[in-house]
């Protein structure tokens, strides 16, 4: 029996929180570069009563993405996309961050946008980090939004001399995510579908714990201590937001980014997290 399909890239806690809210009655395909991660999280979902299968999928590889989408299409029309895949500044070198978080996300949005069903919706997980980078020019934003995906990594602003470190690469990737979502929303709209991004702050996940224990750990701990909420967030809080914007209540929302960071970005610009001059 055919079912509408949820494509879920990145077998992490935020993706699972979203899938548990929108995936009931659907066929869920979870893909991850690490097969053990995908298998383990699919078992958790299956044991909770969801119809979930896993497969190995590499966000940095277009053919792997197309295979992932084709797997979902075996079961029915693609209704939802959840992209929670990515690597953090403490997990990977500059080249990998750009290949996965920037290029890979752009390819996934493009390829799913070709097949998403009418009434479908997608969400990609970006980051508050992109909000702390100085504004780009209008032309630079346009290039990030509209450059053909296979030419993205050749942009001058993404070359080794222009990228300072892994954090800068990550921030550029997340800025690109937001701009690609805006451009793809126009194309998805031609199919009667919607796509948005969510920019979480410090959310307690294994990736965040890597950051807490990494070279910028004190920075991140200080961030959530001095944000208005006074704490890190949870994956379930991100899931609740995603449920709103992906479901019928969010039918007028597309091409947008939603910051969910406990006020850390506000504090960075106008509160105790302001950088010293």
């Amino acid at each position: 029996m055919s079912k509408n399909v949820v494509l879920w890239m990145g077998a992490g806690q935020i993706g699972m929180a979203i899938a548990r809210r929108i995936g009931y009655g659907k066929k869920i395909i979870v893909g991850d570069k690490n097969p053990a991660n995908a298998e383990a999280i699919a078992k958790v979902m299956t044991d909770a009563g969801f119809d979930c299968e896993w497969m190995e999928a590499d966000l940095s590889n277009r053919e792997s993405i197309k295979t992932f989408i084709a797997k979902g299409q075996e079961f029915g029309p693609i209704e939802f996309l959840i992209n929670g895949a990515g690597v953090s500044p403490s997990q990977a070198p500059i080249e990998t961050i750009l290949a996965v978080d920037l290029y890979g996300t752009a390819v996934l949005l493009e390829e799913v946008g070709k097949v998403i069903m009418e009434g479908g919706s997608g969400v990609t997980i970006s980051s508050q980090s992109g909000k702390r980078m100085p504004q780009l020019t209008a032309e630079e934003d346009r290039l990030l939004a509209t450059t053909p995906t296979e030419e993205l990594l050749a942009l001058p602003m993404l070359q080794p001399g222009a990228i300072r470190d892994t954090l800068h690469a990550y921030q550029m990737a997340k800025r690109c995510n937001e701009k690609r979502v805006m451009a793809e929303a126009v194309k998805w709209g031609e199919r009667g579908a919607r796509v948005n991004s969510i920019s979480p702050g410090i959310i307690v996940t294994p990736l965040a714990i890597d950051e807490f224990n990494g070279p910028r750990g004190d920075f991140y701990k200080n961030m959530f201590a001095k944000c208005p909420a006074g704490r890190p967030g949870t994956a379930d809080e991100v899931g609740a937001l995603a449920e709103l914007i992906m479901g019928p209540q969010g039918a007028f929302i597309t091409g947008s980014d939603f910051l969910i960071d406990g006020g850390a970005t506000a504090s960075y610009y106008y509160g105790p997290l302001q950088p010293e001059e």
Side-chain angles (χ1 to χ4, degrees), residues 46-256:
T46 300
D47 289 348
F50 292 89
D51 184 1
C52 185
E53 293 193 18
W54 67 273
M55 65 177 291
E56 183 176 354
D58 182 357
L59 183 60
S60 69
N61 182 282
R62 183 183 291 271
E63 289 308 310
S64 183
I65 288 171
K66 291 171 73 171
T67 299
F68 173 60
I69 294 169
K71 177 69 172 179
Q73 290 179 302
E74 293 177 8
F75 299 96
I78 307 302
E79 182 176 6
F80 292 121
L81 168 69
I82 304 165
N83 179 29
V87 291
S88 78
S90 295
Q91 291 179 318
I94 290 171
E95 295 76 16
T96 301
I97 291 170
L98 294 178
V100 176
D101 292 15
L102 190 149
Y103 166 79
T105 295
V107 172
L108 182 64
L109 294 175
E110 177 183 38
E111 291 293 341
V112 175
K114 296 175 182 178
V115 300
I116 191 77
M117 63 178 274
E118 183 175 359
S121 64
V123 67
T124 189
I125 302 301
S126 187
S127 170
Q128 64 163 356
S129 191
K131 312 288 186 182
R132 296 198 305 274
M133 188 175 69
Q135 290 295 313
L136 300 177
T137 67
E139 176 62 13
E140 287 171 329
D141 279 341
R142 187 189 68 80
L143 288 171
L144 289 178
T146 63
T147 296
T149 47
E150 295 307 316
E151 300 173 19
L152 262 174
L153 295 179
L155 288 174
M157 73 180 87
L158 301 178
Q159 299 315 299
I163 298 294
R164 296 185 300 273
D165 52 29
T166 57
L167 177 59
H168 187 209
Y170 186 74
Q171 290 175 333
M172 287 293 289
K174 297 309 178 180
R175 182 68 60 86
C176 184
N177 293 167
E178 293 180 33
K179 299 305 176 183
R180 297 305 284 201
V181 161
M182 293 179 73
E184 284 294 336
V186 178
K187 300 174 184 177
W188 285 44
E190 295 171 358
R191 298 181 62 87
R194 302 179 295 107
V195 62
N196 295 286
S197 60
I198 294 176
S199 290
I202 305 300
I203 307 296
V204 179
T205 65
L207 184 149
I209 291 170
D210 282 347
E211 289 297 315
F212 294 158
N213 295 325
R216 283 177 287 274
D218 289 342
F219 171 81
Y220 287 109
K221 292 172 186 176
N222 182 61
M223 181 182 296
F224 70 70
K226 292 183 179 177
C227 75
R231 63 171 177 85
T234 66
D236 279 344
E237 289 172 302
V238 180
L241 172 59
E243 181 180 21
L244 169 66
I245 63 176
M246 296 181 78
Q249 300 93 333
F252 198 54
I253 302 171
T254 192
S256 297

